[in-house]
Amino acid sequence: MQVQRATIAKIIAVVFVFNLIVMGGGAWLAYQSAPPIPDEVVGPDGDTIVTGQEIRDGKKAFQKDGLMNHGSILGNGAYYGQDYTADTLDLKVQHMRDYYAQKRHDSAYEALESDEQAAVADVVERDLDGEYGGGPIEYSAAEAYAHEQVRQEYVERYHEGDHERGVPVDMIDSEEAARQFADFALWTAWFSHTDRPDGDHSYTNDWPFQPGAGNDATAAAMTWSVIAMVLLVAGAGFGVWLYKSISLPEPSAKGISVPEPGDVKVFPSQRAALRFVPVAAGLFLAQVLLGGLLAHFYIERAGFFGVEEIFGVHILQLLPFAIAKTWHIDLGILWIAATWLGAGLFLPPLLTGHEPDRQSTYVNGLLAAIVVVVVGGLGGIWLGSKGYIDGGLWWILGNEGLEYLEVGKLWQFGILAGFLIWAVLSVRGLKPLLDREPSYGLAHMILYAGGSIALLFTAGFLFTPDTNIAVTEFWRWWVVHMWVEGAFEFFIVAIIGLTLVSMNLLKRRSAEKAVMLQALLVMSTGVIGVSHHYWWIGMPDIWVPIGSVFSTLELIPLVFILYEALSQYRAMTGAGESFPYRLPFMFIIASGVWNFVGAGVLGFFINLPLINYYEHGTYLTVGHAHAAMFGAFGFLALGMVTYMLQIAIEPDRWDGTWLRYAFWCWNVGLALMVFVSVLPVGFLQLEAIFTGSYAAGRSLPFYNQPLVQTLFWARLPGDTLMVLGTVIYAADIVRKRFVLRETAEDPDVDDVAVAKGVLDDD
């Protein structure tokens, strides 16, 4: 059947409104159903053990000192240290058992006979199996004892330092703040084992897995995992039917003239847009070098190949894991975003032959602003986490301390302003197309995709360090997940469509229809699909069925994107040796393949509720994240760089040899890292958690096992290839800066080989 572009546009509008209604209702539920922060926690004698303000201050210490990028809270964060929720729950169970063992048998719990241990364990489980009815939290004597023991341990670990765990001295700069952090973590442990009012499971759906506290997977996790598998089969069948039923012209190089790079004049604004490339390459190189350091920290937690013995310098104190991890994540986002911004400003003149007045000046200004934001944000992270920004400004100027949103609010605002400026410059560059096409045209789609990135980023401004952690996580995942599964995927299909049109491989109207259909599928699944992140963080259990359904359906658009990549590959090979853009196409195809593998296959697997209950926050997530983030978005960014450079360099001086070397280093390195090291560690963690407890799979003894350490060392070849590929790439970018073509002084539409055909394609 034939589907008109206007029809798809109307359906997209309906889906967009539906998403807003569902997620708006979810926001209301988040505030209504978040775990309560009590005015106080009291012991059996009525004495105050901890106040609500101390819990809130503990959350501030958690963010200010970068603890989310050392360990995790409610399963979210870094996997190097413990998950603080699971760790404090595990310690609470242990100390309560010791308390009752001493009380009843005058002996340590481990020294008791098995029947005595069972009796004590049963008392502890019944102690923790309660429902909150409002007012102060009332501790038993055993809970009060355990709370104080955990406080002392957290002071010793996170204030005094524990190099064996990779914790630097004064990670939390005062004993009082460390005690408050323990209070905050223990509060998350409390609502993980305490039933909701009139409910039969806890605020976190009985996560984390801790049999001693009565926490085990709920029936809903099993039921909706089965339903998700049924939906996967049904969704695959629907996808096949949809692609067979809807007529969408495939890319084809037959019978058309693909413009040679030398036939295309370079505009001043395009030359300015190219300056984003070396900046992004420098950020990329810094990111992979930090990634290598982070991987080594899992093996040698307080050193780096003996450097501390040779030079007397403790790298753990100079560059703790938490800061290195923060920079690693932020640099990954920044170099990809900078490359995309540059590509988004480079492509419009190819399609329009239009150079707005002073466009190159404004593009240079945007780049300068981005550099300021990057330097300020990364510097603020170090200054803030080291305690140099005190008072109420630490989360404004320094580090907000939440994974993917680490930089202070001022720098986040700078990033948002950068996206908005980019949108304005894109409108100026695309104006001839925007004036001629309908509101659902290809140029509009690019702006919608970029605008959605900026729009979703505003969710990061809807909370402060005083906000309940469950509500904080609700909004944080709006930014993180909806960027990746919604806006970024939308941007991918839009920019690939724009690139195919600029290569003359696809008519503009055909590209519009394909982009709109895929955007519809991405929006239909990826936005509400964020709800699988709400299962264990204290949100209502209504998200379990919703998250199961939409997370499963997220695989469908990724299959379509892979299908499109293969179609593009056939178009490229059909063009024969004369096709000049084979190298950029290699990157675009790799992006589609890794997107399917990382986001699709590995993402679907870990998002089944029953698996996610045990897997959440393990190395299986690391494999998914690396394959999806670099594999999908990184390769697309690098492909766009290759395309931009091939057009901007003198044809007789173009040499793609180094880029090909880098391409294969990255692909082989990523495959080795994910499939030889990261995923095997994740499966071992899954087994350790399933047979013990969640805390056991995230513990130091687990990581120190000989087999796990061997698998960490097995990551070295893959990491080395990743670093080597990036060094080759960065060096190639530097040498190519010296062979760029001169820009046209006064270009017009006839100077761009594809522009006239695009503008006439009505």
Side-chain angles (χ1 to χ4, degrees):
M1 63 180 175
Q2 289 285 342
V3 179
Q4 300 299 318
R5 292 173 295 168
T7 302
I8 303 177
K10 292 175 183 176
I11 298 174
I12 289 177
V14 171
V15 170
F16 180 73
V17 173
F18 176 73
N19 283 333
L20 286 181
I21 292 172
V22 172
M23 298 311 298
W28 179 82
L29 275 175
Y31 287 94
Q32 298 299 314
S33 305
I37 301 176
D39 291 333
E40 60 180 352
V41 178
V42 299
D45 54 4
D47 290 345
T48 299
I49 296 173
V50 60
T51 66
Q53 188 56 51
E54 287 172 325
I55 292 172
R56 293 184 181 90
D57 289 342
K59 179 175 180 281
K60 293 176 183 177
F62 160 73
Q63 292 183 223
K64 182 176 183 293
D65 293 301
L67 286 152
M68 197 175 193
N69 272 316
H70 181 89
S72 58
I73 197 80
L74 297 165
N76 297 319
Y79 312 143
Y80 179 68
Q82 280 79 5
D83 178 83
Y84 310 117
T85 304
D87 183 48
T88 51
L89 180 60
D90 192 61
L91 290 172
K92 187 174 181 178
V93 169
Q94 291 179 31
H95 290 304
M96 287 178 69
R97 286 175 174 177
D98 283 336
Y99 176 87
Y100 281 119
Q102 288 291 341
K103 262 300 199 189
R104 296 186 173 194
H105 305 285
D106 195 27
S107 174
Y109 176 78
E110 294 299 328
L112 298 179
E113 298 293 333
S114 58
D115 58 335
E116 294 173 330
Q117 285 187 343
V120 168
D122 183 64
V123 172
V124 170
E125 185 175 341
R126 283 189 281 110
D127 238 8
L128 298 178
D129 183 21
E131 179 182 305
Y132 179 66
I137 295 174
E138 297 180 359
Y139 270 177
S140 67
E143 285 181 283
Y145 168 79
H147 191 109
E148 185 56 38
Q149 297 305 306
V150 175
R151 272 178 167 173
Q152 293 177 17
E153 183 157 345
Y154 268 45
V155 168
E156 293 171 3
R157 188 189 301 176
Y158 296 108
H159 172 57
E160 298 174 10
D162 186 342
H163 280 199
E164 183 182 356
R165 295 178 180 273
V167 180
V169 176
D170 283 338
M171 184 172 189
I172 298 178
D173 55 12
S174 73
E175 182 176 334
E176 180 186 11
R179 287 170 62 86
Q180 290 170 343
F181 169 56
D183 294 335
F184 166 66
L186 281 160
W187 168 70
T188 68
W190 169 80
F191 70 72
S192 77
H193 69 70
T194 300
D195 288 350
R196 286 183 179 275
D198 302 319
D200 58 359
H201 49 256
S202 74
Y203 288 90
T204 60
N205 290 309
D206 289 346
W207 188 93
F209 178 52
Q210 171 49 270
N215 277 12
D216 205 343
T218 63
M222 169 62 82
T223 301
W224 285 101
S225 294
V226 173
I227 292 174
M229 294 298 295
V230 174
L231 283 173
L232 175 63
V233 177
F238 170 76
V240 172
W241 171 83
L242 189 64
Y243 248 83
K244 291 293 184 181
S245 301
I246 296 179
S247 176
L248 288 175
E250 295 186 3
S252 174
K254 295 179 180 178
I256 63 172
S257 174
V258 178
E260 293 290 334
D263 296 337
V264 181
K265 294 291 179 66
V266 177
F267 287 65
S269 65
Q270 291 177 300
R271 186 66 175 267
L274 276 171
R275 296 190 178 101
F276 283 76
V277 173
V279 172
L283 299 177
F284 183 21
L285 181 59
Q287 188 215 4
V288 296
L289 291 174
L290 283 170
L293 174 63
L294 293 173
H296 188 76
F297 264 133
Y298 279 87
I299 300 168
E300 198 176 0
R301 293 205 165 222
F304 187 72
F305 293 104
V307 167
E308 66 282 358
E309 282 85 8
I310 298 173
F311 299 103
V313 175
H314 282 283
I315 191 170
L316 180 66
Q317 293 296 136
L318 292 176
L319 188 60
F321 182 95
I323 294 179
K325 169 72 160 41
T326 300
W327 283 348
H328 177 70
I329 288 177
D330 288 356
L331 287 168
I333 295 171
L334 290 168
W335 81 259
I336 291 174
T339 303
W340 282 6
L341 292 177
L345 296 171
F346 185 92
L347 288 174
L350 289 177
L351 302 173
T352 65
H354 175 61
E355 174 78 1
D357 293 339
R358 299 179 59 81
Q359 181 81 341
S360 61
T361 302
Y362 297 141
V363 172
N364 285 328
L366 175 59
L367 178 60
I370 290 174
V371 170
V372 170
V373 169
V374 169
V375 173
L378 297 181
I381 287 170
W382 192 85
L383 292 171
S385 62
K386 287 290 188 179
Y388 292 109
I389 302 177
D390 211 349
L393 293 178
W394 64 268
W395 64 285
I396 303 293
L397 301 177
N399 60 311
E400 191 171 21
L402 298 170
E403 191 181 34
Y404 293 101
L405 293 174
E406 288 90 353
V407 298
K409 277 289 192 282
L410 176 66
W411 312 112
Q412 290 180 34
F413 182 80
I415 294 171
L416 177 61
F419 278 119
L420 296 176
I421 294 170
W422 173 85
V424 172
L425 296 179
S426 296
V427 168
R428 297 180 88 238
L430 291 168
K431 195 172 188 308
L433 259 182
L434 294 170
D435 290 343
R436 297 169 66 92
E437 69 180 18
S439 59
Y440 48 78
L442 188 59
H444 284 81
M445 285 292 169
I446 291 293
L447 296 180
Y448 297 154
S452 64
I453 293 174
L455 177 64
L456 294 173
F457 193 71
T458 60
F461 295 90
L462 300 178
F463 53 82
T464 72
D466 286 308
T467 304
N468 187 301
I469 185 64
V471 177
T472 297
E473 285 296 278
F474 177 86
W475 290 120
R476 187 179 73 88
W477 281 114
W478 267 53
V479 179
V480 179
H481 177 100
M482 291 190 198
W483 261 16
V484 174
E485 305 294 344
F488 278 14
E489 294 286 359
F490 187 7
F491 196 89
I492 277 183
V493 297
I495 206 164
I496 288 177
L498 198 68
T499 304
L500 293 175
V501 171
S502 72
M503 292 178 178
N504 263 356
L505 283 180
L506 197 61
K507 293 292 186 181
R508 179 168 56 84
R509 286 177 294 178
S510 300
E512 287 169 354
K513 188 181 290 187
V515 168
M516 290 170 68
L517 178 62
Q518 293 184 36
L520 172 62
L521 293 170
V522 167
M523 188 179 298
S524 299
T525 61
V527 175
I528 300 178
V530 69
S531 51
H532 68 252
H533 295 290
Y534 299 155
W535 293 342
W536 326 123
I537 66 168
M539 290 289 98
D541 55 2
I542 186 62
W543 290 118
V544 174
I546 294 175
S548 301
V549 170
F550 283 90
S551 293
T552 299
L553 296 179
E554 281 180 307
L555 187 60
I556 296 175
L558 299 180
V559 172
F560 289 172
I561 292 171
L562 176 63
Y563 182 86
E564 286 296 311
L566 296 176
S567 297
Q568 294 152 15
Y569 175 76
R570 287 195 294 270
M572 178 188 73
T573 55
E577 293 298 324
S578 62
F579 184 68
Y581 304 110
R582 300 177 71 86
L583 187 55
F585 248 79
M586 289 170 60
F587 284 94
I588 293 174
I589 293 161
S591 171
V593 172
W594 279 109
N595 198 13
F596 174 73
V597 172
V601 176
L602 298 180
F604 167 78
F605 162 68
I606 66 173
N607 284 339
L608 289 170
L610 190 60
I611 294 176
N612 192 262
Y613 178 84
Y614 299 101
E615 175 281 332
H616 181 48
T618 68
Y619 253 59
L620 292 176
T621 302
V622 176
H624 156 67
H626 280 78
M629 188 67 182
F630 177 72
F633 307 128
F635 272 118
L636 176 64
L638 295 165
M640 296 312 303
V641 167
T642 306
Y643 182 49
M644 293 158 62
L645 288 173
Q646 192 166 355
I647 289 175
I649 289 175
E650 293 289 349
D652 58 344
R653 304 189 71 176
W654 167 254
D655 179 11
T657 305
W658 287 23
L659 286 172
R660 281 191 175 85
Y661 289 152
F663 173 84
W664 289 113
C665 282
W666 286 322
N667 273 283
V668 175
L670 184 59
L672 289 175
M673 178 203 306
V674 171
F675 296 108
V676 174
S677 175
V678 172
L679 289 183
V681 171
F683 283 116
L684 290 174
Q685 274 185 297
L686 188 64
E687 182 180 19
I689 292 168
F690 187 76
T691 57
S693 68
Y694 185 82
R698 289 284 302 274
S699 66
L700 192 61
F702 170 82
Y703 286 131
N704 285 341
Q705 291 179 89
L707 177 57
V708 174
Q709 287 290 300
T710 300
L711 288 171
F712 284 149
W713 278 111
R715 182 172 167 171
L716 186 61
D719 284 356
T720 302
L721 284 173
M722 292 290 294
V723 172
L724 178 61
T726 309
V727 169
I728 294 172
Y729 169 72
D732 197 39
I733 294 300
V734 172
R735 70 172 190 147
K736 280 181 166 53
R737 295 297 299 175
F738 298 103
V739 293
L740 295 176
R741 297 159 58 192
E742 294 295 325
T743 58
E745 292 295 330
D746 188 23
D748 57 37
V749 70
D750 293 327
D751 289 323
V752 182
V754 297
K756 193 171 188 301
V758 171
L759 292 175
D760 290 343
D761 180 21
D762 293 324

